Amino acid sequence: MTQVFENNDLQPVGYGRMLRKEDARLLRGRGRFVDDVQLPGMLHLAILRSPFAHANIVSIDTSAAEASPGVKAVITGETLKGLGLAWMPTLSNDVQAVLATDRVRFQGQEVAFVVAEDRYQARDALELIDVEYDVLEPVVDVRKALSPDAPVIRTDLEGKTDNHVFDWETGDEAETDRVFASADVIVKEDIVYPRVHPAPMETCGSVADFDPVEGKLRLWSTTQAPHAHRTLYAIVAGIPEHKIQVIAPDIGGGFGNKVPIYPGYVHSIVGSIVTGRPVKWMEDRSENLISTGFARDYIMRAEIAATSEGKILAIRTNVLADHGAFNGTAAPVKYPAGFFGVFTGSYDLQAAHCKMTAVYTNKAPGGVAYACSFRITEAVYLVERIVDALAYELQMDPAELRLKNFIQPEQFPYTTKTGWVYDSGDYEPTMRLAMEMAGYDELRKEQAEKRARGELMGIGIAFFTEAVGAGPRKNMDILGLGMADGCELRVHPTGKAVVRLSVKTQGQGHETTFAQIVAEELGIPPADIDVLHGDTDNTPFGLGTYGSRSTPVSGAAAALVARKVRDKAKLIASAMLEVSVADLDWVKGSFQVKGDPGRSVTIQEIAFRAHGAGDLPDGVEGGLEAQICYNPSNLTYPHGAYICVVDIDPGTAEVKVRRFIAVDDCGTRINPMIIEGQVHGGLTDGVGMALMEMISFDEDGNCLGASLMDYLIPTALEVPDWETGFTVTPSPHHPIGAKGIGESATVGSPPAIVNAVVDALKPFGIRHADMPLTPSRVWDAMRGQATPP
Ligand code: MCN
Ligand code: CUN
């Protein structure tokens, strides 16, 4: 950890607090989102979705729909089958129906689509499509899905006779069993991380415009990964890649929901090819909730082994993962369970083991979404919940138990028992700062007094380490595409610059922070640096924004490309100042002659010279620009200590989050204001998941969270004033020492809140309760146990 003093002047040349550049348009309603795209002659597309979770399609009659006013085309699975487009690959090497042919496998699955002159005509025509279904028994419960007599969902996969997606294992089973056998204390708990949904403010959609003369497809779409999507469209549709332009304009939140390729995107492409006109598809809120990438849905059995003094020895877990009807999760190929392997947390263990079975059910596909850092949400929840259960059994303070077991600073780089190499960390100061900000000892005193009066107050702690910045090409790819990122930087003659990124902001403020990274390296003010992103014709290849990888990967690329430009500028400066390169010092924004600071040239003067009249030094080309493709050598490992204080109304069982203290360590901080925004948003997500949000299904497979009336998301009313703090432990391998922050708070806050609620319920003898801790669940938990003393 290093001591830092942050720049608070609001107009930094480099890192520091700075208002977001993109806000000039976003706050004035001048943002341009996919639904704002209007092209001449544009048609509108609506999707017919299955009302059943599991059914055979007997017949589809589209004649009435085709005759409906304004309708230009009605497309079914059979039409697509003829074109070889009925199925598409998912990001996890499975296949998913673009339109159902033989059968439907989840409620909301795409069955047909209509293209019409306007949105209303398209929707009206859906009502006229007559589909005859033969309803089948749905598989809703993940445990039942594995029973030998369960109906097989994926009959489309040749030779498939069960509902297994994959089995996965990590760690050393024998060694873990051995350590468990020698432990004084073993604590076991069944922990469910329910299915939730990212529910971004803007739903998913696209506008496709295929030009048959040029043979070029332009696709505006809500995608977090424009380049990866383009490559997949090229492979699936057989259109040459250079003839596809994917444009992600402004995006109204993604949270992982906009990583997968959805059938609707493909429908709009097919619609445009078939009609010869641009076609827009924009889903509504219910469509977004029932059919697009969900998150979590893990049933976890957790066990922890320790000595009676509270030294944690080992953790093992058995997980049932519900993947829905198609494995639509996005994870690096070698990591089918994402980065769940970091379930060993921030603790120095002797052994660890995880066994996981992933299962198909008749539910919407998805799995990796909602600020999850590739399943680190589930892993952190598991370890932080089971460590608290251990503290309960040992009657130890949960902060003390954690402090006793942290990986120590001198142990970094630290290889976990599941093979992850934590690059750096210094946990105790972060934990101590959170405790100090919370006034931990006083809070415990207050709690004791309240308990004596029968009041329910809880204090919950969570400490997390994340692995973000996927990833090194040696072991990380998505469908064969390496997870490196390109970056291009051009300095114009007058010293203004443009930097082109392969990542794509959905609200994280890249147009500001990436300008700051370049500004820090080159001394050009951020206002003079434009950040271009989200258009495959104008940006270098790279895998996009998710897993909080933009700063760890693309941010590194931006710093390194700026250094490349600076190296070239130095050669030009040496010619301008008529001294050797070795005699130059870089003082932010200019090169000075060593020992003679009066003789210097600014980067702007150098830029003009690079494009200007007169010879340049031998071997130096004109212009001032560079490009790079950055392949990270490791992930970055941010960490954080969160403390939550809740009060529970004993009469209504309502949980109120009274205080929340979040101390994050994301290494070097580029823009503290944006970091705080990311943390505030993630903490709010955490309140949603811990207390309110769940996508559930009835026994027929009907989705019960199909609107925001049923699927509750938090508002400003449900959250406290967040209290944030930070420590700084730079990443040793990242060129500027930065680690990701975008998902930290979503990862770390649910266990802190649940630990607080369970702590409040301690007088009832409760050691665990599952999310979401709604009043009715808390009420049931209280009534199912002994009354408080
Ligand atoms: N940052 C910084 N200093 C650091 C680390 C990050 O100033 N040491 C800044 C970055 O420059 C960037 C922001 O914080 O502007 C987030 O950076 P990073 O952690 O690299 O995460 P990404 O940019 O890759 O964003 C992805 C992450 C993910 S995966 C989800 S999900 C999520 C999240 O971001 N979705 C979001 N935050 C979101 N915020 C908004 N507003 N909308 C979403 O959809
Ligand atoms: Cu998992 S949600 Mo974010 O990685 O786009």
Side-chain angles (χ1 to χ4, degrees), residues 9 26 72 79 86 88 130 149 255 298 322 532 575 580-581 585 648 715 749:
D9 74 358
L26 294 175
K72 296 289 164 199
T79 332
M88 64 179 186
D130 194 9
D149 55 351
F255 305 101
Y298 267 25
D322 188 339
L532 294 191
S580 82
V581 167
D585 277 333
I648 301 178
T715 68
S749 54

Side-chain angles (χ1 to χ4, degrees), residues 224 255-256 259 368-374 506 545-548 743:
Q224 300 179 210
F255 305 101
V259 176
V368 170
Y370 202 177
C372 64
S373 293
F374 288 126
Q506 313 114 51
T545 289
Y546 42 83
S548 301
E743 295 160 301

Side-chain angles (χ1 to χ4, degrees), residues 254-255 507-508 510 513 547 550-551 668 670-671 678 739 741-743:
F255 305 101
Q508 296 90 335
H510 292 174
T513 47
S550 303
T551 306
T668 304
I670 299 153
N671 186 330
Q678 290 291 297
K739 305 175 180 182
I741 186 71
E743 295 160 301

Side-chain angles (χ1 to χ4, degrees), residues 253-265:
F255 305 101
N257 191 231
K258 291 163 181 171
V259 176
I261 294 185
Y262 293 121
Y265 300 152

